[in-house]
Amino acid sequence: QVQLVESGGGLVQAGGSLRLSCAASGQTFRSVGMGWFRQAPGKEREFVAGISWNGGRTRYSDSVKGRFTISRDNTKSTVYLYGYSLKPEDTAVYYCAQGRSIIVGDLPSEYSTWGQGTQVTVSS
């Protein structure tokens, strides 16, 4: 089985930046898409960004497009999420997930394995 571990969360001021990492261990299927989701208290889990198996295609939600960048390094079995110009609305638990296919989906059901999440808090 694959285990995903997120890191890099923390407290950042509005307008600041951060980098989240998601490291995979165990059985790793590299020829699948990876994604980042986030969930704020009382809200549904929200798609943030996705990336194809080789990094050639990316998708972003409208709320983060232009401010977040997703990338991956398959040699390290790691996917990254870079955020800048962060807003208080970005405050959430961020989860990385492994997709079920090469498709870069935007629904939680299109991902098979999830990390435990890392808290990102953006202060005003």
Side-chain angles (χ1 to χ4, degrees):
Q1 60 179 340
V2 176
Q3 297 85 44
L4 303 177
V5 180
E6 302 96 336
S7 63
L11 177 65
V12 61
Q13 293 185 18
S17 62
L18 84 174
R19 183 187 72 174
L20 305 182
S21 299
C22 175
S25 62
Q27 183 72 272
T28 302
F29 299 98
R30 294 195 292 266
S31 297
V32 295
M34 296 288 293
W36 285 94
F37 290 75
R38 66 187 183 185
Q39 188 165 23
K43 304 296 183 181
E44 296 182 7
R45 189 163 296 190
E46 173 191 19
F47 173 77
V48 177
I51 188 167
S52 61
W53 74 273
N54 64 352
R57 183 182 297 271
T58 58
R59 294 179 62 184
Y60 299 92
S61 68
D62 290 340
S63 62
V64 306
K65 187 175 180 61
R67 299 188 299 113
F68 283 39
T69 299
I70 187 171
S71 64
R72 67 189 298 168
D73 184 345
N74 287 342
T75 66
K76 298 180 179 179
S77 298
T78 301
V79 61
Y80 304 95
L81 184 69
Y82 299 84
Y84 58 97
S85 298
L86 294 172
K87 304 176 182 296
E89 307 93 272
D90 296 320
T91 296
V93 177
Y94 283 70
Y95 301 89
C96 69
Q98 185 178 71
R100 298 181 182 274
S101 71
I102 61 172
I103 297 173
V104 185
D106 62 357
L107 297 174
S109 62
E110 296 176 295
Y111 293 83
S112 61
T113 304
W114 296 79
Q116 292 299 306
T118 184
Q119 176 71 49
V120 173
T121 302
V122 183
S123 63
S124 300

